[in-house]
Amino acid sequence: MSKVRVAVVGNGAIAIRRHIPEYAVNPNVEFVAFVDPVIERAQELAEKYGAKAFASYEEMLSEVKPDAVSVCTPNYLHAPVTIAAANAGAHVLVEKPMASTDEEAAAMIEAASKNGVYLMVGHNQRLMPPHVKAKEILKNGSLGRVLTFRTSFGHPGPEGWSVDGKGSWFFRQQEAIMGAMGDLGVHKSDLIRYLLDDEVAQVTGYIGTLDKEGTDVDDNATCLLRMKSGAIGTLVASWTYYKGEDNSTVFWCENGVLKIGTDPKDQIIVELRNGTVERYNVGAISTNDKQESSGVVDAFINSIVTKTAPSISGEEGRKSLAVILGAFESQATGKVINL
């Protein structure tokens, strides 16, 4: 079988740490292009992988005609790059949040559909082994119904992660559109939807900039969610967890509690009301300090090779984005938002 010819648009931290290394070890992949407005970044990667370097994605799409494109740009470019790539006949893996608005998300889905290509969103939380195991436990019914939950994702902020440090696009509202909510919160709205097999019915958001100086994007958010099932819970996204990262979720259920990512050794702990405790050591959750393979790239390439639509589709990304957009609307209006 001929290899999938991949172009990576945006050659910053997420591309360098996740997408590129994961493509590089996939036997079905051949790199054909790297694109970054800082052309030196693209050139360095192009030399390493025997591909071409471009400063413009439009030029790359017309010249190289890749089979697949990873969109690792600042948030405001996710939609235009995705739509252009789909129109050029390429499958697209886009980083989260997939878009800045619901209209953009809809246009991206439409472009992929019209051109007969796949659109996948990089919601890697779903693929992490502890989350896969947690879903299995919730589904087997031993815990009964989920009544309440909390899910949180926080770290010290993008300045330690981004290739541009404190000068990163993450802090510029015109490019980032949203801060901690677009970076971390949308991961959590996606995870809750996935784990509970349920949709968010209502959202209230308290979102603000509490500590990061010189930026107008949010660095903290606490949201209240009511699911269609009736379960209620909180979703927290923060860039001010200066003592270190937290990526944990707890479900309080009829028959006990399920804890994910709360213990350094056992990623999952189930405590039943009858006194039974089950502990599972099932592979780690990726952190900024300790990168695990996200599984996203392999899933994307597998979709293309097997001609199977990706499970983390544009439609899924759109629903997870809607929760975050609803939270911003709630913050702006002081109202509970019905989704």
Side-chain angles (χ1 to χ4, degrees), residues 162-181:
S162 170
V163 290
D164 296 313
K166 284 188 172 165
S168 170
W169 62 265
F170 274 102
F171 296 112
R172 295 194 290 275
Q173 215 255 331
Q174 282 176 307
E175 291 167 66
I177 313 296
M178 42 188 132
M181 278 292 264

Side-chain angles (χ1 to χ4, degrees), residues 13-181:
I14 197 76
I16 295 164
R17 297 186 196 193
R18 293 254 171 93
H19 290 245
I20 295 167
E22 291 179 27
Y23 282 123
V25 295
N26 188 305
N28 292 313
V29 169
E30 176 196 351
F31 284 119
V32 290
F34 294 93
V35 184
D36 199 283
V38 182
I39 190 69
E40 294 77 17
R41 284 178 192 164
Q43 281 165 339
E44 195 180 319
L45 291 161
E47 277 168 35
K48 181 175 176 182
Y49 293 107
K52 288 187 169 181
F54 295 88
S56 139
Y57 67 89
E58 297 96 337
E59 194 183 325
M60 179 277 291
L61 289 169
S62 67
E63 190 180 315
V64 175
K65 303 212 175 345
D67 301 321
V69 172
S70 256
V71 181
C72 302
T73 62
N75 299 338
Y76 80 109
L77 289 170
H78 286 179
V81 177
T82 296
I83 292 165
N87 287 338
H91 302 288
V92 180
L93 171 59
V94 63
E95 262 307 321
K96 50 77 221 168
M98 71 179 286
S100 309
T101 64
D102 184 62
E103 292 73 18
E104 281 187 348
M108 293 158 78
I109 292 165
E110 167 65 20
S113 163
K114 187 181 76 187
N115 291 288
V117 295
Y118 294 136
L119 170 59
M120 178 170 162
V121 186
H123 283 299
N124 58 14
Q125 298 272 319
R126 293 183 179 213
L127 302 172
M128 290 177 186
H131 293 147
V132 173
K133 183 66 181 173
K135 178 152 182 164
E136 199 182 291
I137 294 166
L138 288 169
K139 267 194 126 98
N140 78 22
S142 58
L143 282 160
R145 278 188 310 137
V146 173
L147 304 172
T148 62
F149 61 87
R150 69 155 185 81
T151 188
S152 126
F153 201 172
H155 60 49
E159 57 269 52
W161 154 267
S162 170
V163 290
D164 296 313
K166 284 188 172 165
S168 170
W169 62 265
F170 274 102
F171 296 112
R172 295 194 290 275
Q173 215 255 331
Q174 282 176 307
E175 291 167 66
I177 313 296
M178 42 188 132
M181 278 292 264

Side-chain angles (χ1 to χ4, degrees), residues 149 151 188-189 192-193 200-204 223-227 230-235 323-324 327 339:
F149 61 87
T151 188
K188 290 284 147 159
S189 66
I192 284 293
R193 291 182 53 252
V200 178
Q202 293 180 306
V203 59
T204 308
C223 307
L224 308 176
L225 308 181
R226 187 194 297 277
M227 308 303 290
I232 54 177
T234 57
L235 179 158
V323 179
I324 302 308
L339 298 179

Side-chain angles (χ1 to χ4, degrees), residues 294-336:
S294 72
V296 167
V297 161
D298 285 348
F300 176 55
I301 294 299
N302 188 54
S303 274
I304 296 169
V305 171
T306 61
K307 299 186 167 59
T308 320
S311 62
I312 313 172
S313 61
E315 288 80 0
E316 284 294 297
R318 184 182 180 186
K319 287 176 186 168
S320 299
L321 174 66
V323 179
I324 302 308
L325 296 174
F328 277 107
E329 189 185 337
S330 168
Q331 170 63 39
T333 60
K335 294 192 168 101
V336 176

